[in-house]
Each structure stands twice: as C-alpha cells, then as structure tokens.
Amino acid sequence: MFFEAFPIILKGIGVTIGLTFACYVFALVFGFVWTFLRRIQFKPIHWLVTWTMEFIRSTPPLVQLFFLFYAWPMIPGIGVTLAPIPCAIIGLGIHFSTYIGEVYRSGIEGVEQGQWEASRALNFSTRQKWTKIILPQAIPPTIPMLGNYLIIMFKEVPLASTIGVVGILAMAETYGANNFRYLEAYTIVAIIFLVLSYPSAILINKLETKLNRRFDKKAALQESKGAIIS
C-alpha cells in the first residue's frame, strides 16, 4: 500500500513547491514595504506599522488564512472572494513578510555609517543611494536567514490545504479517506518534507559558513589597513 500511495500523493508536489516559491517571492517583495514604512519618521505612521507587524506575527497563519478565505468576503463594501491559491499566497506571503522585513532591517542597520555619509557626499539620489550603496551591502549578510525562512515557509505551506489548495497534504488526506490508510499517507508526506528540507538546510548552513568567512576576512583586511594608516 505504501508504494501504491506514493505516486498518488506525489502528484501534489508541484503545487506545494510552486506555492512555496510564490509565497516566498511575495514575502521578499512585501518585506521591503514593511522595512521602508518603518523608516518613516512620522510617529503615528511608525507606530501603526510596528503594531500591525506585531499583530500579524502574533497571530497564527492558519487563522489569517481562514480570515482571508472565509471572513474577508463577508465584509460589507470591501470584501472580495479569493480563490484558494491567491488567498494562500497573500495570507502566507504577508505573514512571512513581517519576519523578512525584520531581516532586511537588521541588514540595513548593519551598514556602516560611513557608507551613508559617502552616498550623501557623492550627491547620490535616493534611488542611487539604496541600489548602489546600501542594499548591495545590506542584503548579502541576510541571505542565510532568508534561506531559513524559505525552508520554514515550505513546511507551513501545507496549511493551505485547509482552504482547498491541493498539495501533497491534501492528496494524502484524500487517499487516506478513500482507502482508510492514513498511516502510509502521512508517512509519505513526512518523508517528502524530510528529503526536500534537510539537504536545503545543509546547503544554507554551508552558505552561511562561507559568507561568515568572507566577511571575517573583509573585516580583518579593513582592520589591517587601519593599523597601517595609523
């Protein structure tokens, strides 16, 4: 029964992986929105954005999916009915964008003050400052953390089966219900997630180690130059 169930459940892997990357891209883009909104100095807006992010992070993503899919269409005047996949992309994308926005913020705050002053000294426009100086230095150190969130999102995407997205978990539930063989079905789902997640985690750890070595060498070089100049 195990080998009979495997190809049936595997049919949902394309939806699961595709939805993961769609949600992740949405979260990467929307994370910048949170980051730049939080940099607005006007206190009411800053407070509102911060509170909204905390509210989203403190609420289970399953509740947010249910709200968007079942409750949002019932709001008079503004409610819109969403199909399962767009609902999952928006719901999970916005949820994880709040975490990714914090990752971006930590990377931006890690850029040395001298780099900000250099952009002003060169009379760069706002776009040039961010695209040529700040972001190229802020984003690379955050890559390992962003990779970890991709793995976490991959393991959270099965929540979308609760609103009708037919991924591997939904295929397993259907197979189990039709054949009364839930043990094999859910074991296959667990194996699939292990096979895909574990190598990805190892790759991200190696990438993090490589980046840390690169930044350590760069810091050591800068310190040596400073010592020579002094």
Side-chain angles (χ1 to χ4, degrees), residues 34-42 46 108-109 116 130:
W34 294 119
T35 301
F36 289 113
L37 285 177
R38 288 197 65 177
R39 295 184 63 84
I40 295 176
Q41 299 299 319
F42 187 55
H46 181 82
I108 291 171
E109 292 180 352
W116 297 86
W130 283 101

Side-chain angles (χ1 to χ4, degrees), residues 64-108:
Q64 295 171 12
L65 286 176
F66 280 2
F67 178 83
L68 286 174
F69 193 71
Y70 295 109
W72 183 262
M74 302 176 66
I75 300 177
I78 61 173
V80 177
T81 301
L82 298 172
I85 289 181
C87 181
I89 293 173
I90 295 172
L92 294 174
I94 290 179
H95 182 84
F96 280 93
S97 70
T98 58
Y99 294 97
I100 290 177
E102 288 298 298
V103 173
Y104 290 154
R105 185 173 67 87
S106 66
I108 291 171

Side-chain angles (χ1 to χ4, degrees), residues 100-179:
I100 290 177
E102 288 298 298
V103 173
Y104 290 154
R105 185 173 67 87
S106 66
I108 291 171
E109 292 180 352
V111 177
E112 296 180 358
Q113 187 62 32
Q115 300 298 314
W116 297 86
E117 296 173 355
S119 65
R120 288 192 293 268
L122 293 171
N123 199 27
F124 277 1
S125 64
T126 301
R127 182 182 63 82
Q128 290 175 323
K129 176 180 68 176
W130 283 101
T131 57
K132 294 186 177 181
I133 294 183
I134 304 303
L135 292 181
Q137 298 181 69
I139 297 303
T142 67
I143 289 177
M145 289 183 285
L146 295 177
N148 286 328
Y149 277 117
L150 175 60
I151 295 175
I152 295 172
M153 182 176 287
F154 175 61
K155 291 184 286 187
E156 293 289 341
V157 157
L159 292 175
S161 66
T162 59
I163 60 172
V165 177
V166 185
I168 56 175
L169 184 59
M171 295 296 292
E173 291 173 348
T174 301
Y175 179 86
N178 292 337
N179 299 275

